[in-house]
Amino acid sequence: MMKRTCNACKALSEDSFYGFRCSLGFPIEIVSYKNVIISAKPKIQCPKPLTLKEYYKIQE
């Protein structure tokens, strides 16, 4: 099932240039309102790790 947003994802990190980026390498789309970055959402199916344990397991 496709995730709607990247909220609470441990792989999502703030980037000073792009706003957000996925540290697992999945493409994301930046959601903004009047040039203010609100959140991000995945462009393709991703695992969306919600805990650090899941995040480290996916990285291996």
Side-chain angles (χ1 to χ4, degrees):
M1 184 159 101
M2 185 74 164
K3 309 298 186 213
R4 289 178 16 173
T5 66
C6 296
N7 294 348
C9 180
K10 296 299 181 187
L12 189 67
S13 60
E14 288 191 44
D15 188 344
S16 60
F17 185 71
Y18 293 109
F20 291 108
R21 74 175 187 89
C22 179
S23 61
L24 295 175
F26 290 96
I28 60 172
E29 179 181 338
I30 304 299
V31 179
S32 62
Y33 177 73
K34 293 187 178 180
N35 293 331
V36 176
I37 296 173
I38 298 172
S39 66
K41 63 182 189 178
K43 289 185 176 181
I44 61 171
Q45 182 69 29
C46 67
K48 189 177 178 177
L50 299 177
T51 63
L52 286 175
K53 186 176 181 178
E54 290 175 3
Y55 174 71
Y56 291 131
K57 187 176 181 181
I58 292 168
Q59 272 192 325
E60 292 178 345

